[in-house]
């Protein structure tokens, strides 16, 4: 037991957490001297590498001074808080990584609060002290204040602090450059307690799952009591009190970035178990004769929902492999098994499911993953979830933090207050303004793109769920209307060139369009139906000549998340493996007018 340390690394997005994990893996000599390991080793998912963020928590381990250190890399974005909440159960200590300039951010507060509640021993690492304008001493005071506000115990308040740069590969207890991160590794051995060995029969809570084409679903968790052995009969204890006997086929422990087969695993170590069927995250693998289930993990509720339906556009089935409602339901059911913060409910329409998540990024990563797997689907406008508390209609509120240059601070404040946000804190630091707001979650939808446009891309935004509070009234949506295609066909340079004074386009000449598809943003606040497939006419006086496309402005490229924030209630997004298209829910103009009349009535 003394030879094991289980530690989770928590930090805000972009504070250097995965880079630190890289350095820990290198210091444990996980790689051969001639082996190319690359950077951000733990971010091995395509979407993670493209976005530069961690989405899925992962396990690795290193041997240091004959002690096995199990490292758990966690997501930094609040939308993936469900991942963090469950994997913290495997840890006995946490490394809180904080940027030496930005200090603790709202999402840091959320995850740290969960870690302190579980009684985990914290180590604070102040990273990026090599950056200009960094203020490590001030950040240390802010971290201490945060611990105090989160009701940390006396022992937790007496945390060790390390300074350094994970990119340059050094950390020390004082802000003096050293050769390596070994002082931090020694600190993990010294300050993180060894796992407690509880007396009694086997108990192991499943906190994560893995999948193999050859072995099927694999249960991952920490053995909290007893010993689990290969070939043993165990009980899978469910939260409802039922237990089912099953046989353990194989056991693996984590070694480096991979797994190694083991015959038995004792209490305190993290392992992966093969052969258990029908398990869910939160179930307990217990003694076969006397099964005792561990308390169920509580995961914070979702705050947002979206409708997921089959693709019913004229281009249905042209691009994807999985296009039916059965495919959609099966895929969402699979996702529920590993994505604890997600909920799915059927709707009155058998082709549409209502999917609940933590935020726009949480839902967009699911949609992006599905389209890469070959699914075609239609998704609606994100809606926040309202609740009735003591007879009062309430909605989710978030803490919003914006760091913006002094010149743009008034624009930033104006934008947030228009969306019912209240300014709580305004501090000047090094030519920047640090602004903190309390804002309804509805007000955040579409705010990021507006904020970046108004501040010339200089604003840095972060937000985190706060609590449910009374409904704050209507919030103005998008101010501009959209340009809608009148017919199906191929867009021409001739038509787009003629319509450029009407607004900005989301398409370019040569793209396939259909009736009801949104092809641009109107310069006024009403919707405009146009013909973008008209070709230049031939006659006997003037030759058709070439369409002059050189004067056409480039199309506006929008990411999936930007599309989700852009659409209104009567619009949706068509998502296929190769295309993301905006469209009206009702494609025909007559249907839209009929719908508007019925809504007005």
């Amino acid at each position: 037991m003394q030879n094991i340390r289980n530690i989770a690394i928590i930090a805000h997005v972009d504070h250097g957490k995965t880079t630190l994990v890289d350095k820990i893996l290198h210091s444990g000599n996980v790689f051969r001297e001639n082996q190319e390991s690359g950077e951000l080793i733990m971010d091995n998912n395509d979407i993670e590498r493209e976005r530069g963020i961690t989405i899925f928590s992962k396990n690795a381990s290193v041997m240091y001074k004959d002690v096995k250190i199990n490292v758990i890399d966690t997501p930094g974005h609040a939308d993936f808080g469900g991942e963090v909440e469950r994997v913290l159960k495997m840890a006995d200590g946490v490394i809180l990584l904080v940027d030496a300039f930005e200090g603790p951010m709202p999402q840091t507060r959320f995850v740290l609060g969960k870690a302190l509640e579980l009684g985990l021993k914290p180590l604070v690492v102040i990273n990026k002290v090599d950056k200009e304008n960094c203020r490590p001493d001030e950040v240390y005071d802010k971290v201490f204040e945060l611990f105090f506000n989160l009701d940390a115990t006396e022992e937790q308040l007496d945390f060790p602090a390390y300074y350094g740069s994970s990119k340059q590969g050094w950390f020390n207890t004082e802000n003096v450059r050293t050769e390596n991160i070994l002082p931090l590794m020694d600190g993990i051995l010294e300050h993180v307690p060894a796992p407690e060995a509880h007396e009694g029969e086997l108990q192991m809570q499943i906190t994560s799952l893995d999948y193999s084409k050859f072995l099927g679903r694999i249960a991952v968790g920490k053995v909290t009591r007893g010993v689990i052995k290969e070939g043993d009969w165990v009980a899978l204890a469910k939260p409802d009190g039922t237990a089912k006997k099953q046989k353990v086929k194989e056991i693996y422990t984590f070694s480096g970035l991979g797994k190694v087969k083991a015959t038995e695993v004792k209490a305190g170590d993290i392992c992966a178990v093969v052969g258990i069927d029908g398990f869910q995250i939160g179930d307990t693998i217990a003694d076969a004769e006397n099964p005792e289930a561990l308390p169920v993990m509580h995961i914070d509720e979702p705050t947002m929902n979206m409708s997921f339906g089959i693709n019913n556009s004229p281009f249905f089935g042209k691009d994807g492999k999985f296009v039916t409602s059965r495919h959609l339901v099966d895929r969402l059911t699979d996702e529920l098994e590993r994505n604890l913060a997600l909920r799915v409910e059927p709707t009155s329409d058998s082709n549409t499911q209502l999917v609940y998540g933590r935020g726009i990024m949480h839902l967009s990563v699911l949609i992006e993953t599905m389209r890469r797997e070959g699914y075609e689907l239609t998704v609606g406008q994100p809606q926040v979830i309202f609740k009735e508390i003591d007879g009062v209609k309430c909605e989710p509120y978030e803490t919003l933090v914006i760091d913006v240059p002094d010149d743009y601070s008034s624009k930033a404040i104006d934008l947030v207050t228009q969306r019912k946000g209240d300014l709580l804190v305004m501090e000047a630091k090094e030519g920047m303004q640090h602004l903190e707001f309390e804002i309804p979650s509805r007000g955040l939808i579409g705010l990021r793109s507006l904020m970046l446009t108004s501040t010339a891309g200089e604003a840095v935004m972060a937000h985190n769920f706060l609590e449910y509070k009374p409904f704050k009234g209507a919030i103005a949506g998008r101010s501009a209307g959209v340009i809608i295609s009148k017919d199906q066909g191929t867009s021409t340079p001739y038509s787009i060139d003629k319509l450029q004074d009407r607004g900005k386009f989301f398409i370019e000449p040569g793209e396939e369009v259909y009736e009801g598809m949104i092809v641009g943003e109107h310069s006024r606040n009403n919707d405009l139906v146009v013909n973008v497939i008209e070709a230049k006419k031939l006659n006997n006086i003037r030759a058709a000549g070439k369409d002059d496309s050189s004067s056409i402005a480039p199309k506006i490229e929008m990411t999936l998340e930007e599309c989700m924030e852009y659409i209104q209630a009567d619009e949706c997004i068509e998502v296929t493996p190769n295309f993301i298209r905006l469209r009206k829910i009702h494609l025909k103009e007559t249907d839209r007018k009929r719908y508007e009349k019925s809504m007005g009535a």
Side-chain angles (χ1 to χ4, degrees):
M1 291 294 295
Q2 294 304 315
N3 293 338
I4 296 174
R5 298 290 186 275
N6 299 316
I7 192 148
I9 301 182
I10 56 179
H12 181 73
V13 180
D14 240 14
H15 280 196
K17 174 169 41 65
T18 306
T19 308
L20 173 62
V21 175
D22 290 357
K23 301 303 179 199
I24 291 174
L25 292 172
H26 283 290
S27 68
N29 298 320
V30 170
F31 307 102
R32 300 187 309 274
E33 282 186 24
N34 63 344
Q35 186 177 352
E36 279 289 324
S37 61
E39 292 182 342
L40 305 178
I41 304 154
M42 295 285 272
D43 283 351
N44 49 18
N45 177 284
D46 287 345
I47 300 176
E48 290 180 317
R49 286 196 167 276
E50 285 166 22
R51 292 176 182 240
I53 59 169
T54 303
I55 295 170
F56 307 104
S57 60
K58 300 170 201 73
N59 297 66
S61 79
V62 297
M63 291 298 295
Y64 179 69
K65 293 187 175 176
D66 295 329
V67 177
K68 181 183 183 182
I69 301 174
N70 285 314
V71 181
I72 306 159
D73 186 16
T74 64
H77 200 285
D79 279 19
F80 309 109
E83 283 276 314
V84 182
E85 286 171 71
R86 61 184 172 82
V87 297
L88 286 178
K89 286 262 189 174
M90 293 192 277
D92 298 296
V94 291
I95 291 178
L96 173 67
L97 193 73
V98 183
D99 188 293
F101 173 70
E102 292 183 356
M105 301 294 274
Q107 290 158 13
T108 318
R109 181 190 184 93
F110 166 78
V111 184
L112 180 63
K114 297 287 178 191
L116 295 178
E117 273 175 38
L118 290 167
L120 303 182
K121 175 73 180 173
L123 281 77
V124 172
V125 172
I126 296 173
N127 190 24
K128 303 189 183 181
V129 296
D130 54 315
K131 277 173 69 174
E132 285 182 34
N133 302 331
C134 67
R135 44 197 189 107
D137 295 334
E138 202 178 318
V139 166
Y140 176 89
D141 294 337
K142 291 263 186 194
V143 171
F144 187 86
E145 191 181 319
L146 176 60
F147 271 75
F148 185 77
N149 292 338
L150 290 171
D151 299 324
T153 62
E154 290 280 332
E155 192 186 354
Q156 287 171 332
L157 280 170
D158 187 25
F159 56 80
Y162 294 83
Y163 302 84
S165 163
S166 51
K167 193 171 185 182
Q168 294 179 355
W170 66 273
F171 282 102
N172 202 359
T173 48
E174 294 169 10
N175 194 358
V176 179
R177 178 157 184 164
T178 54
E179 293 301 311
N180 48 44
I181 69 160
L182 296 186
L184 174 60
M185 300 295 285
D186 292 328
I188 293 172
L189 301 192
E190 182 186 343
H191 298 290
V192 175
E196 288 181 26
H198 299 286
E199 292 294 318
E201 303 293 347
L202 169 67
Q203 271 188 328
M204 169 185 156
Q205 189 160 40
I206 299 168
T207 49
S208 188
L209 66 84
D210 208 342
Y211 183 79
S212 159
K213 287 179 182 176
F214 309 106
L215 303 172
R217 294 170 76 236
I218 302 168
V220 179
K222 184 171 84 170
V223 181
T224 49
R225 205 170 74 181
V227 180
I228 187 166
K229 295 179 181 176
E230 185 182 2
D232 269 6
W233 283 92
V234 295
L236 180 67
K238 297 274 187 182
D240 60 8
T242 59
K244 184 182 172 187
K245 274 194 178 182
Q246 304 207 32
K247 190 175 183 180
V248 175
K249 289 179 184 170
E250 292 177 354
I251 306 173
Y252 294 86
T253 55
F254 291 91
S255 176
L257 291 169
K259 301 184 190 82
V260 291
K261 202 169 178 188
T263 52
E264 65 173 43
V265 175
K266 295 178 180 173
D269 205 354
I270 295 169
C271 67
V273 181
V274 177
I276 308 296
D277 292 326
F279 69 82
Q280 301 290 334
I281 289 170
D283 293 352
T284 306
I285 296 174
D287 181 65
E289 302 305 322
N290 184 25
E292 289 179 59
L294 284 160
V296 182
M297 285 183 283
H298 172 71
I299 300 290
D300 283 358
E301 291 294 309
T303 57
M304 193 168 278
N305 65 35
M306 288 178 78
S307 63
F308 280 45
I310 60 167
N311 180 15
N312 57 3
S313 84
F315 295 164
F316 155 81
K318 284 188 174 183
D319 201 27
K321 288 189 291 184
F322 308 109
V323 296
T324 66
S325 56
R326 183 179 60 81
H327 286 139
L328 183 67
V329 171
D330 289 350
R331 177 64 181 81
L332 291 174
T333 306
D334 286 348
E335 188 67 25
L336 285 173
E337 291 187 347
R338 55 182 175 272
N339 198 333
L340 280 200
L342 205 71
R343 304 274 184 280
V344 178
E345 283 181 9
T347 65
S348 53
D349 179 1
S350 61
N351 291 327
T352 305
Q353 303 287 312
L354 204 57
V355 179
Y356 294 77
R358 278 282 183 88
I360 282 188
M361 185 178 275
H362 184 207
L363 292 166
S364 76
V365 166
L366 170 60
I367 297 165
E368 183 63 38
T369 306
M370 287 175 69
R371 71 182 279 242
R372 289 178 187 217
E373 290 170 1
Y375 285 82
E376 283 192 13
L377 63 154
T378 303
V379 294
Q381 185 191 29
Q383 306 280 350
V384 299
I385 299 166
F386 296 103
K387 285 184 182 176
E388 196 164 298
I389 302 171
D390 300 328
V392 179
K393 183 183 180 183
C394 294
E395 64 176 325
Y397 275 67
E398 309 224 3
T399 303
L400 171 66
V401 174
I402 302 174
D403 287 305
V404 67
D406 291 336
D407 298 348
Y408 297 112
S409 59
S410 59
K411 287 183 180 176
I413 294 167
D414 188 41
L415 271 176
V416 179
T417 48
Q418 280 174 21
R419 289 168 169 257
K420 308 283 187 189
D422 296 324
L423 180 64
L424 305 178
V425 176
M426 185 174 183
E427 294 174 349
K429 56 176 188 184
E430 305 286 344
M432 302 281 281
Q433 287 290 342
H434 175 78
L435 311 170
E436 290 185 22
F437 300 88
E438 199 175 276
I439 183 172
S441 297
R442 289 177 299 137
L444 288 170
I445 298 174
L447 178 63
R448 185 177 296 276
S449 53
L450 283 173
M451 185 66 69
L452 290 174
T453 306
S454 302
T455 61
E458 294 277 352
V460 177
M461 283 175 60
H463 55 88
N464 191 38
F465 173 70
L466 181 64
E467 60 182 332
Y468 270 83
K469 288 188 167 190
F471 180 67
K472 213 169 182 183
I475 293 174
R478 188 181 69 209
S479 56
V482 290
I483 302 173
I484 305 162
S485 174
K486 184 180 177 183
D487 299 296
Q488 184 169 334
T490 306
S491 60
T492 63
Y494 175 70
S495 348
I496 293 176
D497 189 33
K498 280 201 307 181
L499 294 163
Q500 280 195 102
D501 58 336
R502 296 303 185 95
K504 302 168 185 171
F505 279 85
F506 303 147
I507 61 164
E508 58 192 5
E511 281 192 38
E512 293 290 318
V513 297
Y514 54 80
E515 183 183 1
M517 181 173 152
I518 295 170
V519 294
E521 181 176 271
H522 194 198
S523 51
R524 298 186 180 178
N525 60 5
N526 63 310
D527 291 349
L528 179 70
V529 180
V530 300
N531 181 357
V532 290
I533 65 169
E534 185 186 359
K536 196 172 181 181
K537 298 286 185 290
L538 283 165
N539 60 36
N540 57 359
I541 302 167
R542 186 182 295 133
K546 276 192 173 179
D547 280 345
D548 185 17
S549 56
S550 58
S551 59
I552 295 175
K555 71 172 183 178
I556 297 172
E557 298 270 6
M558 286 208 285
T559 63
L560 177 59
E561 273 158 61
E562 286 168 342
C563 290
M564 288 163 71
E565 293 189 336
Y566 185 80
I567 59 173
Q568 299 295 293
D570 65 333
E571 297 162 2
C572 57
I573 311 167
E574 177 191 354
V575 181
T576 74
N578 295 305
F579 298 99
I580 296 173
R581 301 182 182 101
L582 301 179
R583 48 162 283 195
K584 288 288 183 181
I585 292 173
H586 301 283
L587 296 177
K588 292 189 177 296
E589 192 174 4
T590 50
D591 293 343
R592 290 197 294 274
K593 284 180 176 170
R594 195 177 297 129
Y595 174 75
E596 282 168 23
K597 270 187 184 175
S598 68
M599 293 303 287

